[in-house]
Amino acid sequence: MVIDRRTFITALTALGLGGMLPGAARGETHAGYLSTGFDTLAKRHLVSRLDHRLDIVWDLPLPARGHATMIRPGGDEALVVARRPGSYAVVFDIADGLSRHTLTPQSGRHFYGHGVYSADGRTLWMTENSFESGDGVIGVYDAANGYAPTAAFPSGGIGPHQLALLEDGRTLVVANGGIRTHPDSGRTKLNLETMQPSLCYINTATGRMFEQVCFDDPARHMLSIRHLAVMADGTVAFACQDQADNGEQMPLVFTHRMGSGQPFQTLPMPGSVLGQMAGYCGSVTYDPAGAVLAVSSPRGGQVAFWQMPEGRWLDSFAIPDGCGVAEAGDHPGFVLSNGEGLLVETTQGSTPLHQQRHPFRKWDNHLTAI
């Protein structure tokens, strides 16, 4: 059950705590957040741990710009993956920020910014690019044995980006963005006219793709599927980045259910908000109850919210260059980050509950709750 925003804020105000959340409400068991960022003063790339008050606990320098972080289940470590086309991933201790392992791509491949652990934390799957063929790859690593590479299988498309494990513990859903790149060309997009984004479901035991879904409208073939999140009932919410430059306003946020036989379902959004998003979405996250979906648009300076599972539009929150979104601690809501060093805790409305600014920090794409 999601607490109404006004009711929640009124209750805080009655306690004399309208500008911030009390420690108990903000979760004594909640350990904080991880975020990649760029320190503009020292010209460094970092992954940082933040506590539940949004203060910095430690910084770990990175060899190049990082993209996303993942928590290893049942352990005390996490992983940060380089921004595509990436040549590193670093495993580190959550408590002290010390590096434990560095992963490098197999010959002829590069990382694509995301990974996901198995439920027992023993296996890591990474999105990768076999850059000579242009085929997307899921690299398999033995996290229980020094992250040794053990296998690889097709992602089901070109340009796989984020992936997630469904509740059954054996099915991966992969967002194949459809965009071909090559390290010799940096981040140049090489196949925009022929790109074919897809959402693919893959059996982790066999590496076999058993369902691939593409847009049923050919006019949407340039909507690159990038980021996603999965509800407990298996509903996948995903957001797109429009590669077309034709002035046409395309929907950007969709849902899908594996095995439903249905096409992608568009989530409604006011035209004014969709226009502000400028064809570009970033992070996709559910709140702790799985009742509210949040999708960021750094180019549009907006984070949009929907009531789930019905997909009812709720509200948007204005935050310039805001891309990172993570579920809040032990209450309905989210923490947002932006490229101006700002961290904001909010429900699905326009009123911040707590915020913290870190000068000279440019928080990057993603924010991960510990």
Side-chain angles (χ1 to χ4, degrees):
M1 176 180 179
V2 178
I3 300 172
D4 177 79
R5 175 169 61 90
R6 291 182 177 86
T7 302
F8 190 64
I9 295 169
T10 300
L12 289 177
T13 303
L15 293 171
L17 298 167
M20 61 179 291
L21 290 172
R26 298 185 57 206
E28 295 178 355
T29 61
H30 189 57
Y33 304 88
L34 295 171
S35 180
T36 55
F38 179 62
D39 186 327
T40 58
L41 183 64
K43 307 298 183 185
R44 298 184 301 160
H45 296 285
L46 310 163
V47 60
S48 304
R49 176 177 172 176
L50 310 164
D51 64 19
H52 66 278
R53 295 176 299 273
L54 307 182
D55 293 322
I56 297 171
V57 178
W58 50 251
D59 292 320
L60 171 63
L62 299 174
R65 185 174 172 182
H67 186 72
T69 54
M70 293 111 252
I71 309 297
R72 183 182 178 191
D76 57 358
E77 65 186 24
L79 175 83
V80 58
V81 187
R83 184 190 193 213
R84 73 158 180 94
S87 60
Y88 78 86
V90 175
V91 180
F92 56 90
D93 188 297
I94 293 174
D96 57 23
L98 296 180
S99 175
R100 291 182 173 180
H101 303 279
T102 298
L103 286 69
T104 55
Q106 298 298 289
S107 177
R109 305 208 302 259
H110 66 70
F111 296 140
Y112 252 126
H114 285 267
V116 66
Y117 285 94
S118 60
D120 62 8
R122 298 183 62 85
T123 303
L124 170 70
W125 296 281
M126 301 268 285
T127 50
E128 303 177 8
N129 177 32
S130 180
F131 49 78
E132 294 304 334
S133 68
D135 296 327
V137 174
I138 305 300
V140 186
Y141 299 84
D142 186 351
N145 185 32
Y147 288 83
T150 60
F153 48 80
S155 73
I158 291 175
H161 194 60
Q162 191 168 15
L163 73 174
L165 190 66
L166 270 59
E167 286 292 313
D168 63 13
R170 60 181 181 273
T171 304
L172 287 174
V173 57
V174 182
N176 287 298
I179 300 173
R180 183 172 182 177
T181 60
H182 192 288
D184 291 347
S185 304
R187 291 172 59 82
T188 301
K189 302 162 185 176
L190 304 175
N191 66 330
L192 292 183
E193 294 303 316
T194 60
M195 61 180 284
Q196 186 66 62
S198 63
L199 203 64
C200 292
Y201 298 89
I202 300 173
N203 184 300
T204 58
T206 64
R208 182 181 66 87
M209 180 187 71
F210 55 86
E211 186 172 0
Q212 181 188 54
V213 189
C214 302
F215 287 105
D216 56 356
D217 181 353
R220 296 181 179 181
H221 85 98
M222 295 185 76
L223 290 180
S224 180
I225 302 175
R226 307 293 289 164
H227 294 103
L228 52 78
V230 182
M231 288 183 64
D233 69 355
T235 299
V236 179
F238 64 92
C240 300
Q241 297 172 6
D242 191 357
Q243 305 303 307
D245 188 19
N246 56 13
E248 187 174 352
Q249 191 168 280
M250 288 287 188
L252 297 173
V253 185
F254 304 83
T255 61
H256 185 259
R257 287 288 300 274
M258 178 183 69
S260 67
Q262 298 296 312
F264 298 145
Q265 303 298 306
T266 304
L267 288 185
M269 185 188 310
S272 58
V273 179
L274 181 60
Q276 288 174 339
M277 285 190 162
Y280 191 98
C281 292
S283 300
V284 181
T285 307
Y286 286 103
D287 77 338
V292 177
L293 174 71
V295 176
S296 67
S297 174
R299 292 183 183 177
Q302 297 284 327
V303 177
F305 302 96
W306 290 264
Q307 183 77 44
M308 302 301 286
E310 60 267 37
R312 177 172 56 86
W313 170 257
L314 288 173
D315 206 347
S316 63
F317 185 97
I319 177 169
D321 194 24
C323 194
V325 183
E327 62 183 61
D330 297 327
H331 69 86
F334 301 90
V335 174
L336 319 176
S337 63
N338 78 350
E340 299 176 359
L342 183 64
L343 296 158
V344 179
E345 194 167 9
T346 182
T347 57
Q348 69 276 11
S350 58
T351 303
L353 302 174
H354 174 74
Q355 63 184 37
Q356 184 76 278
R357 187 181 296 275
H358 296 279
F360 310 112
R361 293 295 177 105
K362 297 176 65 175
W363 301 119
D364 215 333
N365 298 95
H366 296 292
L367 188 65
T368 303
I370 301 172

